[in-house]
Amino acid sequence: MRSSTDCDEKAKLHGSRLPAVSIILGALSIGSFWVVGLGFVLGVAAVLCGAIATSRSSVADDEAASLRALLGVVAGAAGITASAIALFPVLGGQAIVGPLPAPH
């Protein structure tokens, strides 16, 4: 039979999984920026997971986990940025830039 101290020690040893999830979602968002909307959604999820992870006391006390959560936030922001740049022409960026001249 397990005691509660065994479970607490195991939880402290493994820590939170949110920083790792944030990194994975951020990496997927960067890799899938060209798929319409997918990279953006994964990037937002990565930023949210990283932000939630940094607010947890178990992650805030562990410097390595805190840095992993920050890396997930940065990767998610990079995925959001890449998706926005890739979607700019699709969402009507030509109206802002102007029409392209006709070839002669």
Side-chain angles (χ1 to χ4, degrees), residues 86-104:
L87 290 176
F88 181 70
V90 175
L91 296 177
Q94 292 178 355
I96 295 171
V97 177
L100 296 174
H104 292 94

Side-chain angles (χ1 to χ4, degrees), residues 8-44:
D8 291 340
E9 289 175 12
K10 189 173 185 178
K12 286 180 183 177
L13 177 66
H14 292 295
S16 177
R17 290 188 177 134
L18 278 177
V21 170
S22 179
I23 291 172
I24 292 168
L25 289 173
L28 288 173
S29 73
I30 292 170
S32 63
F33 74 91
W34 53 274
V35 178
V36 177
L38 182 63
F40 186 81
V41 170
L42 290 172
V44 169

